[in-house]
Amino acid sequence: MLQPHVQSRLVPVVQVCQSLRLDSTRNWTAAMQAAAATRAFVEVRRRLQSAQLIVGDPKEGGLPMEISIMPSSLQLKTPAGCTEILLPAEVGLVPSSCGGLQYVAGDGLHLRLQARAEVSTKLISMFNQSSQAQECCTFYCQSCGEVIIRDRKLLRVLPLPSENWGTLVGEWCCHPDPFANKPLHPRENDCFTGDSYLLVNLRRDSQPRPELAQKDMHCLSSENHFELKPKANTKVICKRCKVMLGQTMSSETTKFYMTEIIIQPSERNFPIIPRSQFLQSVIAQCLVELSSARSTFRFTIQGHDGKAYILLWLLNTDSLVIGSLENSKSIKKFPLLEDTLKTDSSASWNAVKVLYQPCIKSRNEKLASSWESDISVHPLTLPSATCLELLLILARNNATLPLSLRYMNSFQVRNGSFIRV
């Protein structure tokens, strides 16, 4: 049953005729019914049960626009056509709660309203310990699908302690550290999980094996046990695409970065996932899990060479972004971002919201130095090439946001962006 049609006043500044139509009818047809020039952006906060709507100006400028807000969809009508944006099934709007109507120059019309959205309780971890332990797994290179480790039966999948656990033991123990010079190495059928990496024991009979760069071995004990220093010459690379997958930590233990490999039960085939989508999902999961477990919200993304590339400040993890935005022209120049051109312009996705600052080319050196010396900032180590990929993705996501959401001048970190989950 349709409720009475409510007509608001004209806004002469932008010559927008806005109407709020209360409609309980749900329509699950295609999200885009006409190729209108209107741009719209919706961010739903699941925990706050609120939504922010930003409607950009039509390209022609000065055209009348009618905005119809219904519980399950939005309609933007101009003389050029009609754009309809359908909301996901788990999200609903409360049209009668519209408020905070204002026009922002260069951005468009802003308004806020209540939303009814289901709260996601937990992210699915990249490596599900309960389901994949005791199973035969195959490790693939995510970039090209090359098999790295075939049919490995993992009897134990255990989380590693925090990166600074050795320092904490030294501070709390009144006697010499009993764990000094005793690194944690997995056994043959073990897998140890760190913040952004996995430690796996590569048996001598494991086939196929990844390529190892030239390395130097140093004898550490009289038992002829060799330990490899994790320098640039210990890189583990894919045989096919030559992407860096990890580093050798000892003669038997190899570190694989979670951003570079896919682990699947051996009976399943290699899943083809666009690089940008996979990288964002892994980074988002790392940020969410670390912020929940360690109550830290600031991160430095550093390369395997120890150099800081990005400073990240996690704002919230409960955003649902629904956009009908124009793609940035720069996207077409980078193959990494080509998958974004194939997605529906009005698609929705779960996202974590971050502020970020790049640290390449000597930018933000003082800020990076202060963050690195701050114990509340958590470092995440990735291959240097992956750090640059992530920086490119953040810049791309930032460029597709409305202008008012791209910067937050009240913070030292100015660039705002979303990372898809």
Side-chain angles (χ1 to χ4, degrees), residues 126 258-259 277-287 420:
M126 170 194 171
M258 293 181 181
T259 55
Q277 177 183 337
F278 177 81
L279 181 56
Q280 290 185 80
S281 177
V282 172
I283 295 299
Q285 291 175 24
C286 288
L287 297 180
R420 299 192 184 194

Side-chain angles (χ1 to χ4, degrees), residues 126-372:
M126 170 194 171
F127 197 99
N128 192 316
Q129 299 179 19
S130 61
S131 65
Q132 292 193 3
Q134 308 292 333
E135 293 184 5
C136 285
C137 300
T138 298
F139 291 55
Y140 298 91
C141 171
Q142 194 278 325
S143 298
C144 68
E146 175 74 6
V147 175
I148 306 303
I149 303 176
R150 189 189 303 276
D151 297 335
R152 170 63 62 88
K153 188 172 184 179
L154 300 176
L155 300 180
R156 297 192 305 171
V157 179
L158 303 174
L160 288 168
S162 64
E163 302 295 328
N164 300 323
W165 71 276
T167 303
L168 295 176
V169 170
E171 292 179 353
W172 282 94
C173 290
C174 58
H175 53 275
D177 184 1
F179 303 104
N181 299 322
K182 293 182 179 180
L184 298 177
H185 290 314
R187 297 179 180 177
E188 186 173 301
N189 296 108
D190 292 345
C191 178
F192 293 169
T193 61
D195 294 338
S196 59
Y197 61 88
L198 309 170
L199 292 184
V200 181
N201 186 302
L202 290 186
R203 299 170 297 183
R204 297 183 182 276
D205 59 346
S206 295
Q207 294 293 334
R209 294 175 65 92
E211 290 186 2
L212 303 179
Q214 183 179 1
K215 51 187 178 291
D216 297 325
M217 293 187 295
H218 305 273
C219 186
L220 297 183
S221 67
S222 59
E223 298 177 357
N224 199 29
H225 178 74
F226 291 92
E227 189 79 15
L228 304 179
K229 294 183 179 181
K231 295 181 180 180
N233 58 358
T234 65
K235 293 193 298 184
V236 177
I237 60 176
C238 176
K239 290 181 179 180
R240 179 187 296 176
C241 65
K242 306 304 179 182
V243 167
M244 178 180 175
L245 303 175
Q247 294 173 279
T248 52
M249 305 304 294
S250 74
S251 58
E252 296 182 351
T253 302
T254 300
K255 174 196 290 186
F256 290 107
Y257 291 104
M258 293 181 181
T259 55
E260 312 307 319
I261 62 170
I262 289 182
I263 305 172
Q264 286 285 103
S266 296
E267 63 271 13
R268 298 183 187 177
N269 295 325
F270 171 74
I272 300 177
I273 305 175
R275 176 62 179 169
S276 173
Q277 177 183 337
F278 177 81
L279 181 56
Q280 290 185 80
S281 177
V282 172
I283 295 299
Q285 291 175 24
C286 288
L287 297 180
V288 172
E289 292 173 0
L290 288 172
S291 64
S292 175
R294 303 180 184 176
S295 298
T296 181
F297 304 97
R298 291 189 295 166
F299 304 87
T300 57
I301 307 299
Q302 60 185 26
H304 64 278
D305 54 1
K307 177 183 177 181
Y309 283 81
I310 312 171
L311 306 179
L312 282 181
W313 193 322
L314 181 62
L315 290 184
N316 60 268
T317 61
D318 62 339
S319 290
L320 174 67
V321 178
I322 307 166
S324 175
L325 299 175
E326 297 174 332
N327 289 321
S328 174
K329 296 180 180 179
S330 61
I331 292 179
K332 299 180 181 180
K333 300 179 182 179
F334 300 100
L336 172 67
L337 307 178
E338 286 181 352
D339 60 283
T340 61
L341 300 176
K342 302 177 183 179
T343 59
D344 189 346
S345 60
S346 63
S348 62
W349 62 89
N350 294 316
V352 297
K353 191 174 184 178
V354 298
L355 302 176
Y356 77 97
Q357 278 284 29
C359 298
I360 60 174
K361 297 183 178 180
S362 301
R363 297 177 61 182
N364 301 302
E365 287 184 334
K366 292 184 178 180
L367 182 60
S369 178
S370 64
W371 277 42
E372 290 174 352

